[in-house]
Amino acid sequence: KTLTASADNKTRNYGDANPAFTVSISGFVNGENQSVIDTMPVASCTATSTSAAGTYSITVSGGSDNNYSFTYVNGVLTVVALPAKTDQTITFHAIAGKTYGDASFTLSATASSGLAVSYSSSNTSVATVTGNTLTVTGAGATTITASQSGNSSYNAAANVTQQLTVAKK
């Protein structure tokens, strides 16, 4: 005789612990129920609280009984990305005043959630930004922006700006 052991589908938010996984058994005969099974099959999943948003298999395995064998039906764990947070902060390390012709300058910022920060300049005739390197290209004013974007699991976003005035030689 063969029983079907099925995992229930589950959903949780990114960062949360996995919920309890349950296994449902069907296919009993003669009025029997799962109380007659010697060892119940179990469900498990490789996703952890820090696994990226997406879908993961809930795998059913194990179980033993002298009178039954098992057919396994896996379930799906859906990890949902968090909505954008409003309390994200970026600390933008100060840019000193520059003079046209100065050497390049390394931009530095710290994002509260540890996500990557990108930089941009509003006036590329004064300063250009490549990666986190600021190169002074002329005299005048520009706004340097440090931006923290989200990812598929943690949709955080924040921007910090600093005004940079480049003096003539």
Side-chain angles (χ1 to χ4, degrees):
K1 303 175 209 175
T2 302
L3 298 175
T4 301
S6 304
D8 295 338
N9 295 330
K10 300 286 185 176
T11 300
R12 69 163 174 83
N13 288 330
Y14 170 77
D16 290 347
N18 286 338
F21 299 126
T22 56
V23 176
S24 303
I25 306 292
S26 61
F28 291 103
V29 293
N30 302 324
E32 293 177 329
N33 59 43
Q34 66 187 43
S35 66
V36 302
I37 297 174
D38 295 333
T39 305
M40 282 289 291
V42 295
S44 62
C45 184
T46 60
T48 66
S49 63
T50 57
S51 296
T55 57
Y56 298 85
S57 181
I58 300 172
T59 304
V60 182
S61 62
S64 64
D65 189 84
N66 290 332
N67 298 312
Y68 291 101
S69 61
F70 296 98
T71 298
Y72 303 115
V73 178
N74 294 333
V76 174
L77 171 65
T78 302
V79 178
V80 180
L82 293 175
K85 291 185 72 173
T86 58
D87 63 347
Q88 292 304 294
T89 58
I90 294 177
T91 302
F92 197 173
H93 307 292
I95 299 172
K98 298 302 242 174
T99 299
Y100 175 64
D102 282 356
S104 61
F105 179 79
T106 300
L107 298 170
S108 179
T110 304
S112 62
S113 70
L115 294 175
V117 176
S118 61
Y119 304 92
S120 62
S121 169
S122 67
N123 186 348
T124 56
S125 64
V126 172
T128 58
V129 178
T130 304
N132 66 339
T133 302
L134 169 75
T135 304
V136 174
T137 54
T142 187
T143 300
I144 307 300
T145 303
S147 300
Q148 175 189 355
S149 60
N151 62 25
S152 64
S153 299
Y154 193 69
N155 298 320
N159 293 301
V160 172
T161 60
Q162 259 190 20
Q163 188 73 21
L164 172 65
T165 301
V166 177
K168 294 182 180 179
K169 283 189 167 182

